[in-house]
Amino acid sequence: MKVIVKNFGEVSVGQPCSIIDIIKQVNPEGLNGYCAAKIDNDPKLVDLRTTLTTDCSVELLDTTNKECLSVLRHTTAHIMAEAVQNLFPEAKITIGPATENGYFYDFDFRPFSREDLDAVEKEMKSIIKKATRLERREVTRNEALEMMTRRGEPYKVELLEAIPEGETITIYQQNNFIDLCRGPHLLNTRPIKGFKLLAASSTYWRGDKKNKSLSRIHGTAFFSKEDLEAYLQYLEDVKNHDHNKIGRELEYFTTVDVIGQGLPLLMPKGAKVVQTMQRWIEDEETRRGYMRTKTPLFAKSDLYKISGHWDHYRDKMFVMGDEEKDKEVFALRPMTCPFQYYVYKNSQKSYRDLPCRYGETSTLFRKEDSGEMHGLTRVRQFTISEGHLIVRPDQMVEEFKGCIDLAKYCLTTLGLQNDVTWHLSKWDPADTEKYIGDAETWNQTEQHIRDILNELNIPFTEDVGEAAFYGPKVDINAKNVYGKEDTMITVQWDAMLAYQYDMYYIDKDGSKVRPNIIHRTSVGCYERTLAWLIEKYEGAFPTWLMPEQVRVLPISEKFLDYAEEVTKALQQNGIEAAIDRRSEKIGYKIRETRMQKVPYALLIGQKEQDERLVAVWNRKDGDLGQCALDQFTDALCKEIRTKSVELTIRKEA
């Protein structure tokens, strides 16, 4: 049998042989440095223990290849699971894959403490130090079932029972630890030079909260201690950019245990930023022909049953009452659409009345799992720039484009347009129970959205199974500082729910016609957008968004009267100005102004008071020199009015 080995040439070997046998022939000294291989240019990594039976080409991958990090991390996850069971024999194993930046393993066990993780790390070091070998074996399904039943691993048994009889099962073993796994894995633990257990969290078996609660351990691993230390430093830097840290330090929001998880308190500064965004969005929507509505925060279950939300979304809703006992059951609203449909239905509409564009600053409630809570990005009560457009089918494309244009305008104004990715979220034809409607309607509406995005030259990816249950959508996503992607803005195409709610309009010929509906947001959830802005700007927002735009700093108390006069003049021009009246040194006041990310400060001393001037400072350049108050006010008002992303009053080059 002939095998072409990349960088080594062609070799002749017996048939069959393993890739390990190939390495022993071409580079025996480097055996422990290889982690995986590729066969015949297939991008899939294969285990070095893989048996070759025909002529082929092989590429050997060593520890310098970044693709091998997944192999290293998967192996480290197995070592971690072994260490856990050595220390806590009652812990049952479930799954433990490699991830983009590390690995995790889920256990049926109590929550792990930091002390537990430290003990597991110590045990892992002991296993790794022994250069423990990992053995790979292929067994029948029945053999694997008998093995896992004997070992008392019910989750592995459940996984095996879902596999058809006759399938070959791959298992890996190191010491007394055995796991079902396709691999690939390292030959032994020698290459694991740097690893760290980062955190513990809770999850559910198969990701379904109806199943048993499990305990997850997150970790990472590298081929060198230096790479590990660099990554840990990166994580520390990321924490310093987390909106949870910055937002609390700058007093934009806080959380309180007795109030509950996912229920943040917006403090005056945070509330001011959200108020500014809300007024801007509402004014912009009005300019674009939207009509404002204000609808209830909860409703009877009957409303959600009509739409299908009760069947498809009830687990995410806060339900008030018991269907078996109470005459009426209510639920806090997770969305506004059915409410606005009844605004539409309140009077008969003709084809001339459409489109009807309804907008509402809506407070919504969603029953997120406790393990999913994070600052302002994943909460149980939030406010959203929600809107629904009731349109004729012939208006749908242009109105959908208008919603995309509004989203792009909002992103650009906030300076976020380059921080997002666009997605066409489609239905999953292999799982039709999740959706309403027929395949033809789904395919047509998805193609309409695809054509619109292509026409607008917006690059996008297509995501199967991410559609709403009633229609496909455009999701505009962004990543937080940890790399987790969240949806910020959504535009949904709905050709279904008008039938559910018996919505219609009178057409030219007097016939009743079902309208189409667009569900959309402008900036999406205000809390999540605030978190995004905090991380993007590290709290130093564009001036128009800042809760404090100018701080007036008298050098001493004798200049306080003029400072008060300056502050009042700024406020009368709509500028968010405050005065620092404390008897502190001016250097201290300036440092604190910088720490609070205030865009501008006006220093008031003897010369400024005598000549009716202000000494201007900004957070980027520092001292900008003196000018007349009216000159500064006019320039700042223009910056705020035009919603400039950058400071416009700057030091001249």
Side-chain angles (χ1 to χ4, degrees), residues 240-251 534 538-539:
N240 291 330
H241 291 81
D242 187 344
H243 79 276
N244 251 323
K245 182 175 187 294
I246 298 173
R248 293 171 196 272
E249 289 176 349
L250 294 177
E251 297 185 344
I534 290 172
E538 297 182 34

Side-chain angles (χ1 to χ4, degrees), residues 40-104:
D40 289 337
N41 297 316
D42 188 332
K44 179 183 176 183
L45 300 186
V46 300
D47 197 289
L48 298 179
R49 304 165 186 83
T50 300
T51 298
L52 305 177
T53 57
T54 61
D55 293 351
C56 61
S57 64
V58 173
E59 179 183 359
L60 303 174
L61 307 180
D62 61 19
T63 57
T64 64
N65 191 302
K66 289 185 177 180
E67 289 183 82
C68 288
L69 278 172
S70 64
V71 181
L72 170 81
R73 289 164 177 168
H74 198 175
T75 300
T76 310
H78 278 221
I79 301 302
M80 179 180 74
E82 178 188 354
V84 167
Q85 289 200 317
N86 287 350
L87 296 174
F88 311 107
E90 64 273 32
K92 303 301 180 184
I93 57 174
T94 63
I95 58 169
T99 61
E100 183 179 357
N101 294 309
Y103 54 89
F104 68 81

Side-chain angles (χ1 to χ4, degrees), residues 396-398 400-405 407-408 411 420-426 444-463 472-477 489-493:
M396 192 67 169
V397 169
E398 286 306 310
F400 202 91
K401 287 180 184 177
C403 294
I404 296 293
D405 182 72
K408 290 176 69 175
L411 290 170
V420 298
T421 55
W422 295 70
H423 302 258
L424 167 52
S425 296
K426 308 189 296 183
Q444 287 177 350
T445 53
E446 287 174 1
Q447 187 59 48
H448 281 310
I449 296 176
R450 190 178 292 113
D451 292 342
I452 289 170
L453 293 174
N454 285 327
E455 180 185 337
L456 297 175
N457 294 315
I458 297 174
F460 65 97
T461 58
E462 300 193 10
D463 301 334
K473 55 182 176 168
V474 172
D475 283 326
I476 305 174
N477 297 353
I489 299 173
T490 295
V491 184
Q492 300 177 350
W493 187 301

Side-chain angles (χ1 to χ4, degrees), residues 46-330:
V46 300
D47 197 289
L48 298 179
R49 304 165 186 83
T50 300
T51 298
L52 305 177
T53 57
T54 61
D55 293 351
C56 61
S57 64
V58 173
E59 179 183 359
L60 303 174
L61 307 180
D62 61 19
T63 57
T64 64
N65 191 302
K66 289 185 177 180
E67 289 183 82
C68 288
L69 278 172
S70 64
V71 181
L72 170 81
R73 289 164 177 168
H74 198 175
T75 300
T76 310
H78 278 221
I79 301 302
M80 179 180 74
E82 178 188 354
V84 167
Q85 289 200 317
N86 287 350
L87 296 174
F88 311 107
E90 64 273 32
K92 303 301 180 184
I93 57 174
T94 63
I95 58 169
T99 61
E100 183 179 357
N101 294 309
Y103 54 89
F104 68 81
Y105 211 112
D106 295 342
F107 302 90
D108 184 352
F109 191 58
R110 61 165 172 77
F112 292 96
S113 66
R114 184 65 246 182
E115 290 73 19
D116 292 333
L117 300 191
D118 293 340
V120 172
E121 275 191 4
K122 185 177 180 181
E123 181 68 12
M124 290 173 67
K125 288 177 182 177
S126 176
I127 297 169
I128 292 168
K129 188 176 181 180
K130 296 173 184 175
T132 300
R133 290 178 56 82
L134 285 86
E135 303 292 341
R136 177 181 182 270
R137 301 204 310 274
E138 292 184 354
V139 298
T140 66
R141 173 181 174 274
N142 289 339
E143 286 173 334
L145 269 171
E146 189 277 330
M147 182 186 304
M148 289 302 170
T149 301
R150 186 177 68 250
R151 293 176 66 86
E153 297 292 0
Y155 297 93
K156 298 298 179 181
V157 170
E158 182 178 328
L159 291 172
L160 287 164
E161 287 175 340
I163 298 174
E165 287 192 36
E167 289 284 323
T168 299
I169 307 299
T170 306
I171 65 170
Y172 282 84
Q173 178 172 357
Q174 77 267 359
N175 299 317
N176 191 45
F177 178 80
I178 298 176
D179 203 354
L180 310 175
C181 189
R182 293 188 180 92
H185 280 284
L186 301 175
L187 296 177
N188 57 58
T189 59
R190 282 195 185 96
I192 306 174
K193 302 298 184 183
F195 74 93
K196 183 69 178 175
L197 301 187
L198 301 173
S201 64
S202 62
T203 186
Y204 295 98
W205 173 234
R206 296 184 180 272
D208 188 340
K209 67 179 183 179
K210 295 178 182 177
N211 292 335
K212 184 74 180 290
S213 178
L214 305 175
S215 295
R216 174 174 293 180
I217 298 179
H218 306 260
T220 192
F222 292 87
F223 287 114
S224 73
K225 291 182 179 179
E226 292 76 17
D227 286 346
L228 173 65
E229 289 170 0
Y231 180 70
L232 295 179
Q233 182 58 54
Y234 160 76
L235 290 182
E236 194 61 35
D237 293 341
V238 163
K239 287 180 184 178
N240 291 330
H241 291 81
D242 187 344
H243 79 276
N244 251 323
K245 182 175 187 294
I246 298 173
R248 293 171 196 272
E249 289 176 349
L250 294 177
E251 297 185 344
Y252 280 92
F253 76 97
T254 188
T255 52
V256 182
D257 288 343
V258 296
I259 292 176
Q261 269 191 309
L263 299 170
L265 301 176
L266 289 187
M267 301 176 76
K269 290 166 66 175
K272 181 63 182 177
V273 176
V274 169
Q275 180 192 56
T276 300
M277 286 195 288
Q278 286 182 6
R279 289 176 173 174
W280 160 55
I281 290 298
E282 289 178 358
D283 288 347
E284 181 61 27
E285 288 178 345
T286 298
R287 191 180 69 80
R288 293 177 183 238
Y290 282 79
M291 299 173 284
R292 309 307 302 172
T293 66
K294 186 173 178 59
T295 56
L297 298 182
F298 64 96
K300 293 196 298 184
S301 59
D302 305 50
L303 180 73
Y304 307 114
K305 289 175 181 176
I306 295 171
S307 66
H309 284 100
W310 196 253
D311 293 328
H312 292 271
Y313 208 82
R314 179 170 37 181
D315 289 345
K316 288 288 187 181
M317 297 168 69
F318 288 100
V319 177
M320 299 179 287
D322 186 328
E323 287 186 280
E324 295 182 2
K325 298 178 182 179
D326 300 325
K327 184 177 179 180
E328 291 184 324
V329 174
F330 294 83

